[in-house]
Amino acid sequence: MSRHVYLDHNASTPIHPEVVAEMLPYFSEIFGNPSSIHAFGREARDGVDRARERVARFLRVSPQEIVFTSGGTESDNFAVKGLAAARGKGHLITSKVEHHAVLRTCQALEAQGFDVAYVGVDEHGMVNPDDVRRAIRPDTIAISIMHANSEVGTIQPIAAIGRIAREHGIPLHVDAVQTLGKVPLDLDAFGVDVLSFSGHKIYGPKGVAALWIRKGTRMVAIQHGGEHERRRRAGTENVPGIVGLGKAVEVRARDMHAEAERVTALRDRLIDGVCARVPEVRLSGHPTQRLPGTASFLVRHVESESIVLGLDLKGIGVSAGSACTAGNIEPSHVLVAMGVPLDWAMGAVRCSLGRSTTAEDIDYVIECVEPLVRKLRQAMPVGAA
Ligand SMILES: *Cc1c(COP(=O)(O)O)cnc(C)c1O
């Protein structure tokens, strides 16, 4: 068995060769501290500055508005805590389907005395902008809604939510880790004030990410130390990582449109193939407002983890939407918020495609899924769960 098919791009992506090439000198020859004023330092600083300009050009913003961080998780923490701390107290609005980096940050803020409203979603995982409007209170200080959900791929109506935030003068943070470089992003049209994105979801390195903070947005730093990043995020810069992130964004700008089209066609081939071949399977997430490469399935009366492990034996990497802990099946918070019944949620499996995915990969996965699900259902008769 030598075939390997990676369909877990929403978890992480392989670094693009052009990105690796750009990073390499920064591990060896160009090693100075960007804060040093000598030539060694200046060379490293130039790499960081160029990366900042590349990211800013892509987003059509000013380079001074970009802050580099250690990952999407830090960007989300910084955004939510930074907006909250700048206001001291009050009420925040988020959704029930956010990444844990936002959800658990909000829970931590609740423990500190902030109030948080967790807006629900419909059966497709979509937030209703009117629910956001209804959740607004006189003391609402920030709204944080993700652009696209990593599990089911649903793209949220950010422009409508942004308009509501603007009308009320409330800053809007958007976790765009799953969308930057995959679908168009217009910060002004969307009415966004703070945007998170991460390197390793877009063929860049792990452990590096950024936050865009619209000029004039009141935010306080959550990490203190030196004067780095205009005193917004202390710590010696991850120079090779930042250089890689800048290059990854530049490559996305060049490739994203053609790739989105190609990946969407493959995704639909997978959806059609699986739904035609496997009985009692459904697509989860929004039927049309979804990420180009994400296909999440609900396979009734089968355990997610059994499918993931069964496909792993065939060299296929996908991810589970439900976990089996101490004999209990626990669907992800996203599926719970969508109200997916347990007999369907127990078999949630996410396939996320990327730039190296081929039609042969998709056909191979379809070939493998059908007999696997049949076998698993025979081993675990309906209702036994
Ligand atoms: C992956 C992910 C994150 C976290 O980013 P890391 O760089 O892995 O810390 C945050 N939000 C979403 C939507 C993600 O998919």
Side-chain angles (χ1 to χ4, degrees), residues 55-101:
V55 171
R57 195 175 314 130
F58 176 74
L59 291 174
R60 283 168 281 140
V61 300
S62 152
Q64 288 97 320
E65 296 172 310
I66 305 292
V67 180
F68 292 114
T69 69
S70 70
T73 299
E74 185 190 328
S75 289
D76 283 344
N77 269 263
F78 181 11
V80 176
K81 290 179 191 166
L83 287 167
R87 286 149 187 88
K89 59 180 172 25
H91 173 250
L92 295 93
I93 299 171
T94 188
S95 85
K96 290 183 178 167
V97 298
E98 298 301 305
H99 191 273
H100 282 132

mmCIF file of all heavy atoms in Angstrom, residues 55-101:
data_model
loop_
_atom_site.group_PDB
_atom_site.id
_atom_site.type_symbol
_atom_site.label_atom_id
_atom_site.label_comp_id
_atom_site.label_asym_id
_atom_site.label_seq_id
_atom_site.Cartn_x
_atom_site.Cartn_y
_atom_site.Cartn_z
ATOM 1 N N VAL A 55 2.007 41.098 2.796
ATOM 2 C CA VAL A 55 0.715 40.826 3.428
ATOM 3 C C VAL A 55 -0.202 42.047 3.270
ATOM 4 O O VAL A 55 -1.379 41.923 2.911
ATOM 5 C CB VAL A 55 0.911 40.465 4.923
ATOM 6 C CG1 VAL A 55 -0.429 40.399 5.639
ATOM 7 C CG2 VAL A 55 1.674 39.151 5.060
ATOM 8 N N ALA A 56 0.361 43.231 3.501
ATOM 9 C CA ALA A 56 -0.428 44.464 3.415
ATOM 10 C C ALA A 56 -0.946 44.689 1.993
ATOM 11 O O ALA A 56 -2.099 45.087 1.792
ATOM 12 C CB ALA A 56 0.406 45.657 3.875
ATOM 13 N N ARG A 57 -0.111 44.383 1.012
ATOM 14 C CA ARG A 57 -0.521 44.572 -0.382
ATOM 15 C C ARG A 57 -1.697 43.646 -0.703
ATOM 16 O O ARG A 57 -2.663 44.044 -1.328
ATOM 17 C CB ARG A 57 0.666 44.276 -1.319
ATOM 18 C CG ARG A 57 0.461 44.775 -2.737
ATOM 19 C CD ARG A 57 1.715 44.580 -3.604
ATOM 20 N NE ARG A 57 2.922 45.000 -2.922
ATOM 21 C CZ ARG A 57 4.036 44.249 -2.820
ATOM 22 N NH1 ARG A 57 4.101 43.060 -3.367
ATOM 23 N NH2 ARG A 57 5.086 44.710 -2.176
ATOM 24 N N PHE A 58 -1.595 42.420 -0.229
ATOM 25 C CA PHE A 58 -2.671 41.451 -0.485
ATOM 26 C C PHE A 58 -3.990 41.931 0.125
ATOM 27 O O PHE A 58 -5.050 41.831 -0.496
ATOM 28 C CB PHE A 58 -2.281 40.081 0.081
ATOM 29 C CG PHE A 58 -3.360 39.044 -0.061
ATOM 30 C CD1 PHE A 58 -3.632 38.471 -1.294
ATOM 31 C CD2 PHE A 58 -4.119 38.648 1.033
ATOM 32 C CE1 PHE A 58 -4.639 37.522 -1.436
ATOM 33 C CE2 PHE A 58 -5.121 37.691 0.896
ATOM 34 C CZ PHE A 58 -5.381 37.131 -0.338
ATOM 35 N N LEU A 59 -3.907 42.453 1.353
ATOM 36 C CA LEU A 59 -5.142 42.877 2.041
ATOM 37 C C LEU A 59 -5.550 44.300 1.656
ATOM 38 O O LEU A 59 -6.604 44.769 2.072
ATOM 39 C CB LEU A 59 -4.941 42.806 3.563
ATOM 40 C CG LEU A 59 -4.816 41.405 4.170
ATOM 41 C CD1 LEU A 59 -4.467 41.498 5.659
ATOM 42 C CD2 LEU A 59 -6.115 40.621 3.995
ATOM 43 N N ARG A 60 -4.695 44.980 0.901
ATOM 44 C CA ARG A 60 -4.898 46.390 0.542
ATOM 45 C C ARG A 60 -5.056 47.252 1.799
ATOM 46 O O ARG A 60 -6.035 47.975 1.988
ATOM 47 C CB ARG A 60 -6.098 46.554 -0.417
ATOM 48 C CG ARG A 60 -5.723 46.139 -1.860
ATOM 49 C CD ARG A 60 -6.905 46.014 -2.772
ATOM 50 N NE ARG A 60 -7.580 44.752 -2.530
ATOM 51 C CZ ARG A 60 -8.888 44.580 -2.513
ATOM 52 N NH1 ARG A 60 -9.698 45.588 -2.707
ATOM 53 N NH2 ARG A 60 -9.403 43.391 -2.296
ATOM 54 N N VAL A 61 -4.076 47.100 2.690
ATOM 55 C CA VAL A 61 -4.047 47.877 3.932
ATOM 56 C C VAL A 61 -2.639 48.437 4.097
ATOM 57 O O VAL A 61 -1.751 48.183 3.276
ATOM 58 C CB VAL A 61 -4.410 46.996 5.150
ATOM 59 C CG1 VAL A 61 -5.807 46.421 4.994
ATOM 60 C CG2 VAL A 61 -3.382 45.874 5.367
ATOM 61 N N SER A 62 -2.436 49.196 5.176
ATOM 62 C CA SER A 62 -1.113 49.753 5.429
ATOM 63 C C SER A 62 -0.248 48.734 6.199
ATOM 64 O O SER A 62 -0.748 48.049 7.090
ATOM 65 C CB SER A 62 -1.294 51.046 6.228
ATOM 66 O OG SER A 62 -0.168 51.275 7.011
ATOM 67 N N PRO A 63 1.044 48.627 5.841
ATOM 68 C CA PRO A 63 1.915 47.654 6.535
ATOM 69 C C PRO A 63 1.931 47.867 8.053
ATOM 70 O O PRO A 63 2.074 46.904 8.804
ATOM 71 C CB PRO A 63 3.300 47.917 5.929
ATOM 72 C CG PRO A 63 3.042 48.585 4.618
ATOM 73 C CD PRO A 63 1.757 49.342 4.766
ATOM 74 N N GLN A 64 1.762 49.120 8.505
ATOM 75 C CA GLN A 64 1.788 49.380 9.953
ATOM 76 C C GLN A 64 0.616 48.720 10.682
ATOM 77 O O GLN A 64 0.622 48.614 11.905
ATOM 78 C CB GLN A 64 1.725 50.891 10.250
ATOM 79 C CG GLN A 64 2.996 51.632 9.926
ATOM 80 C CD GLN A 64 2.925 52.280 8.554
ATOM 81 O OE1 GLN A 64 2.403 51.704 7.597
ATOM 82 N NE2 GLN A 64 3.450 53.487 8.449
ATOM 83 N N GLU A 65 -0.395 48.319 9.932
ATOM 84 C CA GLU A 65 -1.569 47.719 10.577
ATOM 85 C C GLU A 65 -1.431 46.213 10.792
ATOM 86 O O GLU A 65 -2.320 45.583 11.336
ATOM 87 C CB GLU A 65 -2.823 48.002 9.733
ATOM 88 C CG GLU A 65 -3.170 49.483 9.639
ATOM 89 C CD GLU A 65 -4.290 49.761 8.639
ATOM 90 O OE1 GLU A 65 -4.205 49.281 7.487
ATOM 91 O OE2 GLU A 65 -5.239 50.462 9.015
ATOM 92 N N ILE A 66 -0.303 45.636 10.320
ATOM 93 C CA ILE A 66 -0.088 44.187 10.443
ATOM 94 C C ILE A 66 0.785 43.888 11.663
ATOM 95 O O ILE A 66 1.849 44.483 11.828
ATOM 96 C CB ILE A 66 0.636 43.632 9.187
ATOM 97 C CG1 ILE A 66 -0.117 43.983 7.895
ATOM 98 C CG2 ILE A 66 0.893 42.127 9.318
ATOM 99 C CD1 ILE A 66 -1.443 43.299 7.728
ATOM 100 N N VAL A 67 0.344 42.953 12.498
ATOM 101 C CA VAL A 67 1.148 42.509 13.648
ATOM 102 C C VAL A 67 1.387 41.013 13.488
ATOM 103 O O VAL A 67 0.429 40.247 13.332
ATOM 104 C CB VAL A 67 0.410 42.773 14.984
ATOM 105 C CG1 VAL A 67 1.253 42.296 16.164
ATOM 106 C CG2 VAL A 67 0.059 44.249 15.138
ATOM 107 N N PHE A 68 2.645 40.590 13.523
ATOM 108 C CA PHE A 68 2.944 39.153 13.420
ATOM 109 C C PHE A 68 2.855 38.503 14.799
ATOM 110 O O PHE A 68 3.227 39.111 15.813
ATOM 111 C CB PHE A 68 4.335 38.938 12.804
ATOM 112 C CG PHE A 68 4.393 39.344 11.353
ATOM 113 C CD1 PHE A 68 5.179 40.412 10.943
ATOM 114 C CD2 PHE A 68 3.636 38.662 10.404
ATOM 115 C CE1 PHE A 68 5.217 40.792 9.598
ATOM 116 C CE2 PHE A 68 3.666 39.032 9.063
ATOM 117 C CZ PHE A 68 4.462 40.101 8.660
ATOM 118 N N THR A 69 2.340 37.273 14.806
ATOM 119 C CA THR A 69 2.153 36.531 16.059
ATOM 120 C C THR A 69 2.678 35.104 15.891
ATOM 121 O O THR A 69 3.186 34.750 14.831
ATOM 122 C CB THR A 69 0.659 36.456 16.430
ATOM 123 O OG1 THR A 69 -0.005 35.599 15.483
ATOM 124 C CG2 THR A 69 -0.010 37.829 16.436
ATOM 125 N N SER A 70 2.473 34.297 16.929
ATOM 126 C CA SER A 70 2.995 32.925 16.915
ATOM 127 C C SER A 70 2.013 31.906 16.363
ATOM 128 O O SER A 70 2.260 30.705 16.415
ATOM 129 C CB SER A 70 3.365 32.506 18.333
ATOM 130 O OG SER A 70 2.175 32.338 19.087
ATOM 131 N N GLY A 71 0.843 32.352 15.861
ATOM 132 C CA GLY A 71 -0.108 31.387 15.309
ATOM 133 C C GLY A 71 -1.516 31.958 15.308
ATOM 134 O O GLY A 71 -1.782 33.000 15.934
ATOM 135 N N GLY A 72 -2.398 31.253 14.627
ATOM 136 C CA GLY A 72 -3.789 31.688 14.578
ATOM 137 C C GLY A 72 -4.393 31.767 15.975
ATOM 138 O O GLY A 72 -5.195 32.647 16.274
ATOM 139 N N THR A 73 -3.985 30.850 16.827
ATOM 140 C CA THR A 73 -4.503 30.839 18.196
ATOM 141 C C THR A 73 -4.102 32.107 18.942
ATOM 142 O O THR A 73 -4.934 32.738 19.602
ATOM 143 C CB THR A 73 -3.990 29.580 18.929
ATOM 144 O OG1 THR A 73 -4.474 28.426 18.216
ATOM 145 C CG2 THR A 73 -4.463 29.536 20.367
ATOM 146 N N GLU A 74 -2.847 32.506 18.797
ATOM 147 C CA GLU A 74 -2.438 33.754 19.458
ATOM 148 C C GLU A 74 -3.157 34.948 18.834
ATOM 149 O O GLU A 74 -3.583 35.867 19.545
ATOM 150 C CB GLU A 74 -0.920 33.969 19.377
ATOM 151 C CG GLU A 74 -0.512 35.212 20.177
ATOM 152 C CD GLU A 74 0.923 35.674 19.976
ATOM 153 O OE1 GLU A 74 1.812 34.840 19.737
ATOM 154 O OE2 GLU A 74 1.141 36.897 20.070
ATOM 155 N N SER A 75 -3.307 34.952 17.509
ATOM 156 C CA SER A 75 -3.992 36.078 16.861
ATOM 157 C C SER A 75 -5.413 36.216 17.403
ATOM 158 O O SER A 75 -5.870 37.326 17.701
ATOM 159 C CB SER A 75 -4.021 35.885 15.342
ATOM 160 O OG SER A 75 -2.724 36.056 14.788
ATOM 161 N N ASP A 76 -6.118 35.086 17.533
ATOM 162 C CA ASP A 76 -7.486 35.130 18.060
ATOM 163 C C ASP A 76 -7.506 35.597 19.522
ATOM 164 O O ASP A 76 -8.347 36.407 19.920
ATOM 165 C CB ASP A 76 -8.145 33.746 17.950
ATOM 166 C CG ASP A 76 -8.608 33.429 16.521
ATOM 167 O OD1 ASP A 76 -8.699 34.356 15.696
ATOM 168 O OD2 ASP A 76 -8.888 32.246 16.239
ATOM 169 N N ASN A 77 -6.575 35.078 20.319
ATOM 170 C CA ASN A 77 -6.484 35.508 21.722
ATOM 171 C C ASN A 77 -6.224 37.008 21.817
ATOM 172 O O ASN A 77 -6.861 37.713 22.595
ATOM 173 C CB ASN A 77 -5.346 34.764 22.436
ATOM 174 C CG ASN A 77 -5.812 33.480 23.087
ATOM 175 O OD1 ASN A 77 -6.092 33.443 24.283
ATOM 176 N ND2 ASN A 77 -5.941 32.432 22.302
ATOM 177 N N PHE A 78 -5.247 37.442 21.033
ATOM 178 C CA PHE A 78 -4.855 38.858 21.038
ATOM 179 C C PHE A 78 -6.052 39.720 20.628
ATOM 180 O O PHE A 78 -6.373 40.725 21.294
ATOM 181 C CB PHE A 78 -3.670 39.016 20.078
ATOM 182 C CG PHE A 78 -3.096 40.390 19.944
ATOM 183 C CD1 PHE A 78 -3.440 41.432 20.792
ATOM 184 C CD2 PHE A 78 -2.164 40.645 18.941
ATOM 185 C CE1 PHE A 78 -2.889 42.699 20.652
ATOM 186 C CE2 PHE A 78 -1.601 41.899 18.788
ATOM 187 C CZ PHE A 78 -1.969 42.930 19.643
ATOM 188 N N ALA A 79 -6.745 39.314 19.564
ATOM 189 C CA ALA A 79 -7.868 40.111 19.063
ATOM 190 C C ALA A 79 -8.947 40.262 20.139
ATOM 191 O O ALA A 79 -9.352 41.371 20.482
ATOM 192 C CB ALA A 79 -8.461 39.448 17.815
ATOM 193 N N VAL A 80 -9.382 39.137 20.666
ATOM 194 C CA VAL A 80 -10.532 39.170 21.578
ATOM 195 C C VAL A 80 -10.136 39.787 22.921
ATOM 196 O O VAL A 80 -10.816 40.689 23.436
ATOM 197 C CB VAL A 80 -11.120 37.742 21.742
ATOM 198 C CG1 VAL A 80 -12.250 37.734 22.759
ATOM 199 C CG2 VAL A 80 -11.612 37.213 20.384
ATOM 200 N N LYS A 81 -9.012 39.330 23.476
ATOM 201 C CA LYS A 81 -8.582 39.889 24.768
ATOM 202 C C LYS A 81 -8.150 41.349 24.627
ATOM 203 O O LYS A 81 -8.402 42.159 25.511
ATOM 204 C CB LYS A 81 -7.408 39.088 25.335
ATOM 205 C CG LYS A 81 -7.778 37.704 25.803
ATOM 206 C CD LYS A 81 -6.531 36.979 26.318
ATOM 207 C CE LYS A 81 -6.816 35.513 26.551
ATOM 208 N NZ LYS A 81 -5.570 34.739 26.712
ATOM 209 N N GLY A 82 -7.495 41.646 23.492
ATOM 210 C CA GLY A 82 -7.003 43.005 23.277
ATOM 211 C C GLY A 82 -8.133 44.009 23.139
ATOM 212 O O GLY A 82 -8.063 45.118 23.670
ATOM 213 N N LEU A 83 -9.198 43.629 22.440
ATOM 214 C CA LEU A 83 -10.369 44.512 22.309
ATOM 215 C C LEU A 83 -11.064 44.650 23.658
ATOM 216 O O LEU A 83 -11.466 45.752 24.052
ATOM 217 C CB LEU A 83 -11.361 43.948 21.277
ATOM 218 C CG LEU A 83 -10.955 44.050 19.799
ATOM 219 C CD1 LEU A 83 -11.870 43.177 18.922
ATOM 220 C CD2 LEU A 83 -10.991 45.507 19.320
ATOM 221 N N ALA A 84 -11.211 43.526 24.379
ATOM 222 C CA ALA A 84 -11.910 43.550 25.666
ATOM 223 C C ALA A 84 -11.132 44.377 26.686
ATOM 224 O O ALA A 84 -11.699 45.258 27.346
ATOM 225 C CB ALA A 84 -12.125 42.124 26.176
ATOM 226 N N ALA A 85 -9.831 44.124 26.782
ATOM 227 C CA ALA A 85 -9.028 44.808 27.810
ATOM 228 C C ALA A 85 -8.966 46.311 27.560
ATOM 229 O O ALA A 85 -8.901 47.098 28.502
ATOM 230 C CB ALA A 85 -7.623 44.212 27.853
ATOM 231 N N ALA A 86 -9.028 46.726 26.293
ATOM 232 C CA ALA A 86 -8.982 48.157 25.996
ATOM 233 C C ALA A 86 -10.239 48.863 26.479
ATOM 234 O O ALA A 86 -10.271 50.094 26.593
ATOM 235 C CB ALA A 86 -8.803 48.379 24.494
ATOM 236 N N ARG A 87 -11.289 48.085 26.749
ATOM 237 C CA ARG A 87 -12.552 48.682 27.198
ATOM 238 C C ARG A 87 -12.853 48.368 28.658
ATOM 239 O O ARG A 87 -13.796 48.906 29.223
ATOM 240 C CB ARG A 87 -13.689 48.227 26.268
ATOM 241 C CG ARG A 87 -13.577 48.961 24.922
ATOM 242 C CD ARG A 87 -14.074 48.159 23.741
ATOM 243 N NE ARG A 87 -13.775 48.865 22.495
ATOM 244 C CZ ARG A 87 -12.630 48.732 21.814
ATOM 245 N NH1 ARG A 87 -11.699 47.925 22.243
ATOM 246 N NH2 ARG A 87 -12.427 49.437 20.718
ATOM 247 N N GLY A 88 -12.084 47.436 29.226
ATOM 248 C CA GLY A 88 -12.162 47.194 30.674
ATOM 249 C C GLY A 88 -13.290 46.313 31.136
ATOM 250 O O GLY A 88 -13.084 45.394 31.905
ATOM 251 N N LYS A 89 -14.505 46.585 30.660
ATOM 252 C CA LYS A 89 -15.642 45.745 31.049
ATOM 253 C C LYS A 89 -16.693 45.822 29.954
ATOM 254 O O LYS A 89 -16.600 46.668 29.065
ATOM 255 C CB LYS A 89 -16.219 46.194 32.387
ATOM 256 C CG LYS A 89 -16.713 47.639 32.431
ATOM 257 C CD LYS A 89 -17.263 47.935 33.811
ATOM 258 C CE LYS A 89 -17.619 49.378 34.102
ATOM 259 N NZ LYS A 89 -17.960 50.301 33.095
ATOM 260 N N GLY A 90 -17.671 44.945 30.043
ATOM 261 C CA GLY A 90 -18.751 45.007 29.066
ATOM 262 C C GLY A 90 -19.117 43.643 28.513
ATOM 263 O O GLY A 90 -18.816 42.598 29.090
ATOM 264 N N HIS A 91 -19.752 43.688 27.337
ATOM 265 C CA HIS A 91 -20.425 42.537 26.746
ATOM 266 C C HIS A 91 -19.830 42.254 25.367
ATOM 267 O O HIS A 91 -19.598 43.190 24.588
ATOM 268 C CB HIS A 91 -21.920 42.907 26.645
ATOM 269 C CG HIS A 91 -22.779 41.932 25.923
ATOM 270 N ND1 HIS A 91 -23.321 42.202 24.688
ATOM 271 C CD2 HIS A 91 -23.231 40.717 26.282
ATOM 272 C CE1 HIS A 91 -24.078 41.170 24.314
ATOM 273 N NE2 HIS A 91 -24.036 40.258 25.263
ATOM 274 N N LEU A 92 -19.576 40.990 25.088
ATOM 275 C CA LEU A 92 -19.061 40.603 23.767
ATOM 276 C C LEU A 92 -20.061 39.664 23.090
ATOM 277 O O LEU A 92 -20.821 38.962 23.767
ATOM 278 C CB LEU A 92 -17.732 39.869 23.889
ATOM 279 C CG LEU A 92 -16.545 40.673 24.440
ATOM 280 C CD1 LEU A 92 -16.417 40.491 25.943
ATOM 281 C CD2 LEU A 92 -15.257 40.243 23.758
ATOM 282 N N ILE A 93 -20.022 39.664 21.765
ATOM 283 C CA ILE A 93 -20.881 38.754 21.004
ATOM 284 C C ILE A 93 -19.994 37.880 20.127
ATOM 285 O O ILE A 93 -19.104 38.381 19.432
ATOM 286 C CB ILE A 93 -21.876 39.537 20.119
ATOM 287 C CG1 ILE A 93 -22.792 40.418 20.990
ATOM 288 C CG2 ILE A 93 -22.715 38.571 19.258
ATOM 289 C CD1 ILE A 93 -23.655 41.386 20.193
ATOM 290 N N THR A 94 -20.250 36.579 20.188
ATOM 291 C CA THR A 94 -19.554 35.665 19.296
ATOM 292 C C THR A 94 -20.563 34.600 18.866
ATOM 293 O O THR A 94 -21.759 34.760 19.116
ATOM 294 C CB THR A 94 -18.294 35.078 19.974
ATOM 295 O OG1 THR A 94 -17.550 34.342 19.005
ATOM 296 C CG2 THR A 94 -18.642 34.162 21.143
ATOM 297 N N SER A 95 -20.105 33.537 18.189
ATOM 298 C CA SER A 95 -21.057 32.507 17.789
ATOM 299 C C SER A 95 -20.690 31.187 18.452
ATOM 300 O O SER A 95 -19.581 31.027 18.975
ATOM 301 C CB SER A 95 -21.066 32.341 16.268
ATOM 302 O OG SER A 95 -20.040 31.454 15.876
ATOM 303 N N LYS A 96 -21.616 30.252 18.395
ATOM 304 C CA LYS A 96 -21.390 28.937 19.008
ATOM 305 C C LYS A 96 -20.481 28.058 18.166
ATOM 306 O O LYS A 96 -20.110 26.977 18.605
ATOM 307 C CB LYS A 96 -22.740 28.212 19.187
ATOM 308 C CG LYS A 96 -23.601 28.841 20.263
ATOM 309 C CD LYS A 96 -24.887 28.063 20.473
ATOM 310 C CE LYS A 96 -25.687 28.702 21.605
ATOM 311 N NZ LYS A 96 -27.074 28.191 21.643
ATOM 312 N N VAL A 97 -20.163 28.476 16.944
ATOM 313 C CA VAL A 97 -19.381 27.602 16.056
ATOM 314 C C VAL A 97 -17.950 28.107 15.826
ATOM 315 O O VAL A 97 -17.248 27.618 14.945
ATOM 316 C CB VAL A 97 -20.085 27.389 14.691
ATOM 317 C CG1 VAL A 97 -21.425 26.696 14.892
ATOM 318 C CG2 VAL A 97 -20.262 28.706 13.939
ATOM 319 N N GLU A 98 -17.504 29.065 16.661
ATOM 320 C CA GLU A 98 -16.139 29.576 16.499
ATOM 321 C C GLU A 98 -15.114 28.489 16.786
ATOM 322 O O GLU A 98 -15.407 27.497 17.476
ATOM 323 C CB GLU A 98 -15.911 30.750 17.476
ATOM 324 C CG GLU A 98 -16.817 31.940 17.259
ATOM 325 C CD GLU A 98 -16.703 32.546 15.881
ATOM 326 O OE1 GLU A 98 -15.580 32.902 15.489
ATOM 327 O OE2 GLU A 98 -17.731 32.674 15.197
ATOM 328 N N HIS A 99 -13.904 28.743 16.330
ATOM 329 C CA HIS A 99 -12.760 27.898 16.710
ATOM 330 C C HIS A 99 -12.563 28.032 18.224
ATOM 331 O O HIS A 99 -12.874 29.072 18.809
ATOM 332 C CB HIS A 99 -11.522 28.407 15.972
ATOM 333 C CG HIS A 99 -10.339 27.501 16.062
ATOM 334 N ND1 HIS A 99 -9.432 27.564 17.101
ATOM 335 C CD2 HIS A 99 -9.910 26.511 15.240
ATOM 336 C CE1 HIS A 99 -8.499 26.642 16.905
ATOM 337 N NE2 HIS A 99 -8.762 25.988 15.789
ATOM 338 N N HIS A 100 -11.996 26.994 18.843
ATOM 339 C CA HIS A 100 -11.765 27.054 20.292
ATOM 340 C C HIS A 100 -10.880 28.231 20.689
ATOM 341 O O HIS A 100 -10.983 28.720 21.821
ATOM 342 C CB HIS A 100 -11.151 25.742 20.782
ATOM 343 C CG HIS A 100 -12.170 24.648 20.905
ATOM 344 N ND1 HIS A 100 -11.982 23.378 20.408
ATOM 345 C CD2 HIS A 100 -13.413 24.645 21.458
ATOM 346 C CE1 HIS A 100 -13.057 22.644 20.650
ATOM 347 N NE2 HIS A 100 -13.946 23.396 21.275
ATOM 348 N N ALA A 101 -10.030 28.686 19.786
ATOM 349 C CA ALA A 101 -9.162 29.828 20.104
ATOM 350 C C ALA A 101 -9.985 31.075 20.428
ATOM 351 O O ALA A 101 -9.554 31.932 21.204
ATOM 352 C CB ALA A 101 -8.207 30.105 18.948
#
